[in-house]
Amino acid sequence: MPGGLSQEDIIRKFIQRNVTVEWVKTRIGWNGNDVALCDWSHIMCDPVDGAVTEILLHEQDLIVTIPTELGLLKSLQVLNFEGNRMKGTIPEVIFRDLPNLIIINFNNNNLEGTLPAITNSLRNLRSLELEKNRFIGTLQKDMGSIFQKSMEKLDLSHNGFVGKIPDSITYIQGLTYLDLSFNLLNGSIPKNIGNLKHLKGLFLNENDLIGTIPPSITRVDLQLVQVFLESNALSGTLPAGFSDLPYLTDLFVDGNKLTGTVPSELCKKNLNEEFFQGEYDKPGRDGCTSISCPVGTVSKEGVHPCFECGAQGYNPYLGLNRGRCFRLSQKQILDKFYDRMNGLNWQGGLGWGLSNVPPCDYEGVTCNGAGHVENITLRGMNLHGELPEEIGFLKHLRYLDLADNRLTGYLPSDLRFAPLEHLDLSGNELIGFVPPMLCLTGDINGNGVDGEFICDRISCRVGTYNPTGFMFQKEEGKKGEISQCLPCKDGNPYLGAKTCSNTEHENESSDDNREIRKWFSGGVAGTLLFVAIFSLLYVKKRRTTLKKVEENYPVIGCSEHDFVAHGQLLQESEEEPSASDIDNKSDEINKPDKATDDENEGKSSPLEGANLFSRKKAEEKKAYNTNKVEPDALFEVKGLMGGEKTGTGSGDGREKGDNWNSNKDEGELWLDVPKIV
């Protein structure tokens, strides 16, 4: 064997400092006795040539690193290390040098770092399970292309992965189970997710996903049984097409920013029945509240029992699951805005943050005669942070100008609830793009007046710029005099950019740029405005840099159908709302979370009579297992080390099943024309 190591030498690399003598003595062959390797405990071999094909060390209480020498065992088909306390990273050789691997199961360990590069050596992999570790980083863009013909189960849940879900995921033809829940993923659900015709379980809950629910996910020929989308920042409405899925039994969408109602056709399916078994099956539940509590109500779980917000607050969303409604007091909203925008370090801001000063006397705030806030102008005052979603709940706000500050994060779609006529967030560090629902609101910066909803009118998309930060019409009523958002040669990571990051623009844009400057410099006032804008940009250089958005998503003149059909992203803020407690009569909401017993069950060799998904994977809404992993900053931020929701049912909560019964007449798939082709 290469390297001069025998197979026995390589396997014994698992016997490391933390492996006890007792552990070695109680495993056949591991203690150095004269036993053939293929007769060792937890080792399986090819009966013809004696090559090691399976290492089955699941639930062996091993506190070790994964030996890099495993890359020399070219015949390996199965690596099952689930339920140990393995530490360190996954060696690159595992993903690079083992072309016969079929199953990798490293669930429930202490593995960390980024994943090694996924190579063509894994093209035969059928199951990759890495849940409940400490992995970070982004998901490889072409992973779906590599797994395209083989992968059936992909579970990366309960880690710290960031970035977008790769579109290539939708290329995996035989994928049955996809679990990316409890991570830090953002962006939208891939619009072609409905291409996964064999998918039965889709679990994307507990991330930072934004945008609408793709219509493709409701195709009538899909085999979906369970869909968990809760606790993200998805917007738009709940598609009625879910009612066309013949095998659907569980659908959770609470804790998002969906509006409207639960479609009546969907209510009739009586979904999520198992969630309401036992003592919490209270009277009053119906098919609608089993899916989501209606607008204007709140509950602990976002589903039945639901309680009216009443005078206590406000909720424009389906399935609010934070146990409290949003407050509507102008002062409360503005005071939270001050705190979140690093108010103590503003350059100016008289009156802000003082309990005895009314909002109308805050610097930069203008109210109407009735005392309602209509205008907030805080340009160039060193505001710093993510824009709170509650600012959109100012019911009379018409003018919002926060240009030339250091705003970060996404542009919240909640701004669509305010009657805005002018919005200027240019010259900041916002990422993503304009939420389609905000764009379709109309009237903002003249958007929609001519029947076209062009999001560049609100803010120039990533990768483009305009001296104002948004597209505008130079002379009202004069056709062809539109100042466009122009492309940057090397891109630009921010929304609403007034210059390109490297100040070098595409050659094709230079003439238009000169025309813009000419227009701005017409007259004394124009000259002063031009100088002020560019001087401010020169002085206020970016002091921090967010990671560059991986892809540009140009959104131009579109109808609402176009936005939904193409799965455009929304930028949302996932901040905890400032709100009052709901009515004291809602005792059910305040019941303590129910813990459940150990999730792990015994397993046999995956290749012997192998149903890859035979394990009953109960993904209860219970506290993350902290017995083996100490909390750290990454997991504390997202709450992965504790505080998952507990179901209101019999203690089992929202369970992800591995064995879905689809014994309905297969002919049902052909009774209706697919909703989307």
Side-chain angles (χ1 to χ4, degrees):
M1 178 166 290
L5 295 175
S6 66
Q7 292 190 124
E8 290 86 349
D9 293 334
I10 293 172
I11 298 301
R12 286 198 175 97
K13 293 291 183 180
F14 282 102
I15 304 175
Q16 300 170 18
R17 183 177 59 182
N18 291 324
V19 177
T20 64
V21 173
E22 184 65 24
W23 190 96
V24 173
K25 286 182 177 180
T26 55
R27 271 76 178 174
I28 297 173
W30 293 77
N31 58 6
N33 292 338
D34 189 15
V35 177
L37 177 62
C38 297
D39 293 330
W40 287 23
S41 301
H42 316 295
I43 302 297
M44 298 184 71
C45 301
D46 186 300
V48 176
D49 61 12
V52 174
T53 57
E54 303 181 33
I55 303 177
L56 307 174
L57 289 170
H58 48 291
E59 299 174 1
Q60 296 300 308
D61 199 29
L62 286 171
I63 310 175
V64 298
T65 58
I66 300 174
T68 58
E69 290 81 1
L70 291 182
L72 299 174
L73 300 176
K74 302 299 183 182
S75 297
L76 271 177
Q77 298 178 44
V78 176
L79 289 175
N80 187 349
F81 303 155
E82 180 180 16
N84 289 288
R85 287 181 276 176
M86 290 191 173
K87 56 188 178 179
T89 60
I90 298 177
E92 292 183 5
V93 294
I94 302 295
F95 282 16
R96 186 189 66 205
D97 296 341
L98 300 174
N100 294 303
L101 276 177
I102 295 175
I103 295 174
I104 295 176
N105 185 345
F106 297 163
N107 288 343
N108 294 285
N109 279 284
N110 294 348
L111 297 171
E112 59 188 2
T114 58
L115 295 185
I118 296 171
T119 69
N120 284 326
S121 289
L122 295 182
R123 62 185 177 276
N124 296 316
L125 198 66
R126 293 171 57 194
S127 179
L128 177 61
E129 300 182 67
L130 304 176
E131 74 163 334
K132 291 186 178 176
N133 281 284
R134 302 158 67 90
F135 294 116
I136 59 174
T138 58
L139 302 182
Q140 189 170 314
K141 286 185 179 181
D142 65 345
M143 64 187 304
S145 300
I146 296 171
F147 295 148
Q148 183 173 355
K149 296 182 179 179
S150 60
M151 185 64 65
E152 298 176 34
K153 182 173 186 178
L154 181 60
D155 187 348
L156 306 179
S157 63
H158 291 268
N159 283 289
F161 291 115
V162 299
K164 296 177 175 59
I165 300 173
D167 288 334
S168 66
I169 289 285
T170 64
Y171 304 162
I172 307 177
Q173 301 169 3
L175 194 62
T176 303
Y177 184 105
L178 176 61
D179 191 348
L180 303 177
S181 63
F182 289 93
N183 279 289
L184 305 171
L185 297 171
N186 55 42
S188 68
I189 300 172
K191 65 180 181 181
N192 293 322
I193 194 76
N195 289 350
L196 300 175
K197 297 296 182 65
H198 300 284
L199 194 64
K200 293 181 173 67
L202 176 63
F203 310 104
L204 304 178
N205 49 298
E206 305 288 345
N207 279 290
D208 296 318
L209 298 175
I210 54 182
T212 55
I213 298 175
S216 70
I217 203 176
T218 65
R219 288 173 173 162
V220 71
D221 57 344
L222 297 183
Q223 300 181 34
L224 282 166
V225 177
Q226 292 183 304
V227 178
F228 286 24
L229 303 177
E230 75 269 20
S231 299
N232 282 288
L234 299 171
S235 298
T237 57
L238 182 59
F242 275 120
S243 63
D244 296 332
L245 298 177
Y247 306 122
L248 189 66
T249 62
D250 295 288
L251 173 65
F252 292 104
V253 295
D254 53 277
N256 283 289
K257 298 193 174 185
L258 300 172
T259 53
T261 60
V262 177
S264 58
E265 304 96 317
L266 197 52
C267 298
K268 295 175 184 177
K269 289 182 72 73
N270 205 22
L271 300 175
N272 307 333
E273 274 293 288
E274 292 186 5
F275 187 66
F276 296 99
Q277 293 178 355
E279 60 179 300
Y280 291 100
D281 190 11
K282 300 293 184 181
R285 181 175 68 86
D286 55 35
C288 294
T289 57
S290 295
I291 298 171
S292 182
C293 287
V295 168
T297 67
V298 66
S299 78
K300 182 176 181 179
E301 294 282 354
V303 294
H304 176 83
C306 312
F307 300 89
E308 297 287 339
C309 289
Q312 298 279 347
Y314 169 72
N315 171 34
Y317 303 122
L318 285 174
L320 186 65
N321 63 3
R322 294 169 173 173
R324 55 187 63 187
C325 295
F326 298 97
R327 287 179 178 173
L328 288 180
S329 162
Q330 291 186 143
K331 186 169 180 61
Q332 289 171 332
I333 292 173
L334 293 184
D335 285 351
K336 179 170 186 178
F337 175 85
Y338 176 78
D339 291 337
R340 293 304 311 278
M341 294 287 96
N342 196 29
L344 293 177
N345 292 316
W346 287 7
Q347 296 173 0
L350 293 175
W352 286 83
L354 299 178
S355 60
N356 60 343
V357 177
C360 295
D361 291 337
Y362 291 177
E363 181 181 347
V365 174
T366 303
C367 298
N368 60 21
H372 300 304
V373 174
E374 286 190 326
N375 184 321
I376 301 176
T377 300
L378 301 171
R379 296 178 67 95
M381 291 177 54
N382 197 37
L383 277 64
H384 185 191
E386 296 185 7
L387 192 61
E389 56 194 355
E390 288 87 354
I391 201 72
F393 300 152
L394 292 172
K395 294 184 176 181
H396 301 272
L397 185 65
R398 296 184 301 106
Y399 194 102
L400 180 62
D401 186 345
L402 305 177
D404 304 322
N405 285 291
R406 297 178 60 201
L407 305 185
T408 58
Y410 295 107
L411 179 58
S413 71
D414 312 81
L415 290 174
R416 69 187 187 271
F417 297 118
L420 286 169
E421 298 173 6
H422 178 83
L423 176 64
D424 190 349
L425 300 176
S426 61
N428 282 287
E429 297 172 1
L430 296 169
I431 59 174
F433 36 84
V434 176
M437 294 302 170
L438 178 60
C439 183
L440 291 171
T441 302
D443 296 331
I444 302 175
N445 301 345
N447 193 29
V449 173
D450 55 0
E452 277 193 305
F453 294 90
I454 304 175
C455 294
D456 278 356
R457 289 173 173 165
I458 296 176
S459 188
C460 286
R461 61 192 179 276
V462 168
T464 68
Y465 80 104
N466 186 295
T468 65
F470 52 87
M471 170 184 169
F472 66 97
Q473 191 164 341
K474 299 175 186 177
E475 296 182 28
E476 190 171 347
K478 187 175 180 180
K479 293 184 178 180
E481 292 297 320
I482 301 294
S483 177
Q484 304 282 353
C485 295
L486 306 174
C488 292
K489 182 177 181 180
D490 296 322
N492 190 307
Y494 302 125
L495 273 175
K498 296 183 177 181
T499 64
C500 292
S501 57
N502 62 359
T503 69
E504 294 181 5
H505 314 140
E506 295 281 9
N507 292 333
E508 63 189 57
S509 69
S510 58
D511 291 340
D512 202 351
N513 190 32
R514 283 194 293 270
E515 178 60 26
I516 293 171
R517 296 183 181 184
K518 178 180 177 182
W519 180 79
F520 267 101
S521 61
V524 175
T527 302
L528 291 175
L529 180 59
F530 175 83
V531 172
I533 291 174
F534 283 92
S535 296
L536 185 58
L537 284 172
Y538 178 79
V539 173
K540 294 184 66 62
K541 295 293 185 182
R542 303 282 189 264
R543 289 188 290 176
T544 59
T545 302
L546 298 178
K547 66 179 181 180
K548 189 171 182 178
V549 175
E550 295 177 358
E551 300 176 5
N552 292 337
Y553 296 85
V555 181
I556 55 177
C558 297
S559 65
E560 183 171 6
H561 170 76
D562 293 327
F563 280 121
V564 174
H566 291 87
Q568 295 290 339
L569 306 181
L570 300 188
Q571 292 76 48
E572 309 277 7
S573 173
E574 266 280 285
E575 303 306 324
E576 186 68 17
S578 172
S580 64
D581 293 328
I582 61 176
D583 196 328
N584 291 332
K585 68 181 180 181
S586 57
D587 293 334
E588 303 293 348
I589 291 181
N590 297 315
K591 286 184 177 292
D593 290 351
K594 285 178 171 279
T596 57
D597 294 328
D598 194 354
E599 293 180 0
N600 297 319
E601 297 181 7
K603 301 181 185 62
S604 59
S605 171
L607 292 184
E608 295 293 325
N611 178 350
L612 284 177
F613 314 123
S614 60
R615 184 165 71 103
K616 177 65 176 177
K617 182 178 178 185
E619 204 62 276
E620 297 92 354
K621 298 294 184 181
K622 68 175 187 178
Y624 189 79
N625 182 1
T626 59
N627 294 332
K628 302 177 182 178
V629 185
E630 292 299 323
D632 61 17
L634 169 67
F635 293 96
E636 287 176 342
V637 167
K638 187 60 181 175
L640 294 183
M641 298 305 298
E644 295 176 25
K645 296 185 299 180
T646 300
T648 55
S650 59
D652 290 333
R654 307 182 190 192
E655 293 189 355
K656 301 176 184 178
D658 290 330
N659 294 313
W660 293 285
N661 183 4
S662 301
N663 293 328
K664 295 186 180 181
D665 183 1
E666 291 295 325
E668 291 183 23
L669 293 176
W670 305 99
L671 292 178
D672 300 310
V673 177
K675 194 172 188 66
I676 297 176
V677 295

